[in-house]
Every structure is written in C-alpha cells, then in structure tokens.
C-alpha cells in the first residue's frame, strides 16, 4: 500500500477522512467508526505526552481535526514510557494491552508518516524510551 507521503500532495492536503482510511486499512478495522474511535483516543493520549515545539509542529502536519484532538489535552508533567503509555491507554479504554498496542501502532505509524522523519526524530528525542516501535521504527539502544 502507498503511504500518505507517496502522494503528490503535501501532507497539509491530507484530509482527516484520508488519514482515517489509512488507519482503518493498516489497523484492519471493520468500520470507519472503529478507526475513528481508536484515532481519537490515541491522539488525545499522545497530546498528554508531547509538549513544546514538537507538539506545535506535529499539530501543523496533521489535518485540522486531528490537530485539535492532539492539542486538546494538557501535557503531563511526567511523560510515560512507551509501555506505560499503552498500559495507561488500555486502562482508560477498558482494552487489553495487546489490542491497545495494536491500536496505538495503527494510529502512530500514520502520524509518523505525516510528520516526516526529521520531526519524528525530534518527537522521539523528547519522549521517554519505548515509543519508537509504536511509531513503526526500530529502537536502537547503546550497549552498556
């Protein structure tokens, strides 16, 4: 499947519906409504983890409705690790850690695509360990 960046348009031209359709396809969700629910929950949770320029710049790369979901939440003073993020989201939604991990990846891989590699590098540098895999990247750790 083509990624959102493979199109001839800039990511600013990607609509919320197009973003949802990619999430629906990647997440293998049976309906658009399910993809939308997952997207809303994950973007709101991510909004609690990001702050500063990375938050503002990411919002600028997203469709307006997605940017509002991201920025509606007040950033947490203590960001969660990637695994804690998934467990917290599972507790908030009543899902299992496994399904929540799947949902998180389906959304964040699309967000990474819209953000582009340079902004994603900055976002991952701001977040605690464990988010790279959620965004569809390998997380390389230096040996001690």
């Amino acid at each position: 499947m083509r990624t959102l960046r493979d199109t001839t348009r800039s990511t600013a031209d990607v609509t919320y519906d197009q973003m949802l359709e990619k999430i629906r396809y990647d997440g293998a969700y049976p309906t658009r409504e399910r993809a939308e629910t997952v997207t809303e929950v994950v973007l709101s949770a991510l909004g609690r983890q990001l702050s500063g320029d990375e938050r503002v710049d990411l919002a600028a790369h997203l469709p307006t409705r997605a940017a509002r979901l991201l920025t509606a939440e007040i950033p947490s003073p203590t960001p969660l690790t990637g695994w804690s993020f998934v467990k917290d989201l599972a507790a908030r939604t009543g899902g299992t850690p496994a399904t929540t991990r799947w949902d998180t990846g389906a959304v964040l891989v699309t967000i990474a695509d819209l953000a582009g590699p340079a902004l994603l590098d900055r976002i991952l540098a701001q977040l605690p360990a464990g988010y790279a895999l959620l965004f569809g990247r390998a997380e390389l750790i230096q040996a001690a």
Side-chain angles (χ1 to χ4, degrees):
M1 174 173 181
R2 292 182 334 156
T3 66
L4 293 175
R5 284 218 174 264
D6 290 338
T7 63
T8 56
R9 296 179 298 206
S10 71
T11 57
D13 292 333
V14 172
T15 68
Y16 186 71
D17 287 335
Q18 289 168 323
M19 186 185 86
L20 282 181
E21 194 54 39
K22 181 174 185 316
I23 291 167
R24 179 178 174 211
Y25 180 85
D26 289 351
Y29 299 114
T31 65
R32 180 190 184 281
E33 291 75 22
R34 176 68 181 136
E36 187 168 23
T37 299
V38 166
T39 300
E40 290 171 356
V41 169
V42 172
L43 282 177
S44 294
L46 182 61
R48 290 190 293 273
Q49 302 305 306
L50 287 177
S51 61
D53 290 341
E54 289 74 21
R55 178 182 168 107
V56 171
D57 291 348
L58 179 57
H61 282 80
L62 299 177
T64 303
R65 186 165 176 197
R68 286 185 186 136
L69 290 166
L70 178 78
T71 59
E73 295 291 329
I74 296 170
S76 172
T78 310
L80 301 170
T81 65
W83 179 237
S84 294
F85 176 81
V86 170
K87 289 192 306 185
D88 179 67
L89 199 52
R92 289 174 186 263
T93 62
T96 67
T99 58
T100 303
R101 166 59 183 92
W102 178 268
D103 294 343
T104 301
V107 174
L108 294 185
V109 166
T110 298
I111 297 308
D113 194 31
L114 290 170
L119 178 54
L120 183 57
D121 286 344
R122 291 177 32 223
I123 289 168
L124 291 173
Q126 181 187 107
L127 293 169
Y131 282 88
L133 287 174
L134 297 175
F135 281 98
R137 276 201 181 169
E139 186 155 11
L140 305 175
I141 303 170
Q142 272 189 326

